[in-house]
Amino acid sequence: MTPDARILDGKAIAGAVRSDVAGEVGELSTTIGRAPALATVLVGDDPASEVYVSNKHRACEEVGIESVHRAVPGTVGQSELEEIVRDLNGEDEVDGILVQLPLPDGLDAGPVIASIDPMKDVDGLTAENQGRLASGSPWLVPCTPAGVIEILDRSDIPIEGKEVVVIGRSNLVGRPLISLFLDRNATVTACHSRTVDLPGVCRRADILVAAVGVPGLVGADFVKEGATVIDVGINRTDDGLVGDVEFEQVAEVAGAITPVPGGVGPMTIAMLLANTVKAAGSRR
Ligand code: NAD
């Protein structure tokens, strides 16, 4: 059966963001006399992390952002790793710093993130950037939640005054999204693993966002007719990559829906590029 819902094509929207970023990189490079630069710190040799970092380098290259890479052995000490980050803070020609997570066992990500200069914190994970976002004056915002808002905006789906339900309250996705939707004057409900009657609460939503990590959690019974459904989940299963939403069923009820893959996923790197340009622009 063909889905009734409009499919929100994250890949195409991410392409449009990247192309805008490429234009801004061109202008900024003229103003500051060099290309903006993103530093990546990869600790250890986890193959998945290596792929993520090399994808980020490729994306940077495509829009004209310089990559500065620090490959750090997994045997690095906690304070030595924090020192590497602080050195990057002090490098004038580095505009953004990204520490690829998760770190190998034995290293604590909290203090490493805390050592990133908030002005260069393109993942938006430092306490300063999270606090700014939570208090209504965002600066660098985490990339995946920023990508969700970008999909809605570029698809002309209004947010102001709408009932928004976000499932998931992580620092990486759920919490920043709740703040971003509040900033856009939505009426926001935050759901999590202890929410009572999750389907009933979700059925209130004009915009429903699932950021959980449970394959197929959101069925058609969670969705009000015509609602917009954004699936942040990325779950590897025997059937391949799936989201948190039962796509086929939900697409028959929803008004618009993001697929997995090809929905929110491609937006994350696009917003990282946008954050790098923002960070570089603020340092001119
Ligand atoms: P997390 O595990 O840190 O948080 C999951 C949240 O879901 C928690 O707040 C928890 O309370 C809630 N939850 C768990 N089980 C639940 C249930 N049965 N009912 C309701 N709520 C429940 O995960 P995360 O880092 O926020 O990531 C969430 C999902 O998004 C994962 O699948 C992850 O792979 C994906 N993700 C995608 C991108 C992307 O680029 N598209 C980026 C980051 C994360």
Side-chain angles (χ1 to χ4, degrees):
M1 196 184 287
T2 25
D4 295 319
R6 170 183 168 202
I7 309 296
L8 304 174
D9 182 350
K11 212 168 158 198
I13 298 169
V17 171
R18 286 177 191 225
S19 143
D20 289 353
V21 169
E24 288 167 31
V25 167
E27 282 171 30
L28 193 58
S29 303
T30 313
T31 322
I32 63 178
R34 61 170 176 82
L38 172 67
T40 48
V41 180
L42 176 63
V43 187
D45 50 12
D46 175 59
S49 293
E50 281 172 0
V51 170
Y52 293 142
V53 169
S54 76
N55 287 345
K56 287 167 188 172
H57 290 167
R58 201 173 52 239
C60 281
E61 195 181 342
E62 278 167 16
V63 298
I65 294 175
E66 198 78 35
S67 291
V68 174
H69 186 54
R70 297 282 182 272
V72 182
T75 51
V76 70
Q78 178 79 31
S79 55
E80 200 187 337
L81 178 57
E82 291 164 26
E83 196 54 41
I84 291 170
V85 171
R86 277 193 291 270
D87 284 348
L88 290 168
N89 289 341
E91 281 195 25
D92 255 1
E93 302 212 337
V94 166
D95 300 297
I97 300 171
L98 178 147
V99 178
Q100 185 65 41
L101 301 176
L103 295 175
D105 286 349
L107 291 166
D108 184 356
V112 177
I113 290 167
S115 26
I116 300 173
D117 177 350
M119 297 301 283
K120 296 189 177 186
D121 168 30
V122 285
D123 261 343
L125 294 178
T126 57
E128 173 155 344
N129 278 316
Q130 297 245 324
R132 288 190 63 147
L133 177 57
S135 59
S137 50
W139 165 234
L140 292 167
V141 172
C143 302
T144 303
V148 169
I149 301 292
E150 198 72 25
I151 288 180
L152 294 169
D153 283 347
R154 290 193 186 235
S155 305
D156 295 320
I157 295 171
I159 297 174
E160 182 160 321
K162 299 297 175 189
E163 286 275 353
V164 173
V165 175
V166 177
I167 323 174
R169 56 177 166 182
S170 70
N171 287 340
L172 192 62
V173 190
R175 274 172 210 264
L177 255 180
I178 289 157
S179 299
L180 286 169
F181 278 121
L182 275 178
D183 279 354
R184 296 290 297 271
N185 302 316
T187 302
V188 188
T189 305
C191 293
H192 44 77
S193 52
R194 312 281 173 87
T195 297
V196 175
D197 185 21
L198 186 63
V201 177
C202 291
R203 275 196 305 274
R204 288 186 207 154
D206 300 307
I207 299 172
L208 174 62
V209 184
V212 182
V214 175
L217 174 75
V218 174
D221 57 327
F222 281 56
V223 179
K224 179 168 79 178
E225 179 113 30
T228 296
V229 179
I230 306 286
D231 190 354
V232 181
I234 297 181
N235 308 292
R236 277 164 228 287
T237 69
D238 293 343
D239 300 329
L241 213 61
V242 300
D244 292 342
V245 175
E246 282 286 358
F247 183 85
E248 304 290 337
Q249 289 178 18
V250 170
E252 286 175 25
V253 184
I257 185 168
T258 58
V260 176
V264 176
M267 296 302 294
T268 300
I269 291 189
M271 300 315 291
L272 171 69
L273 303 174
N275 271 353
T276 304
V277 170
K278 186 173 183 182
S282 73
R283 302 179 63 245
R284 64 176 117 163

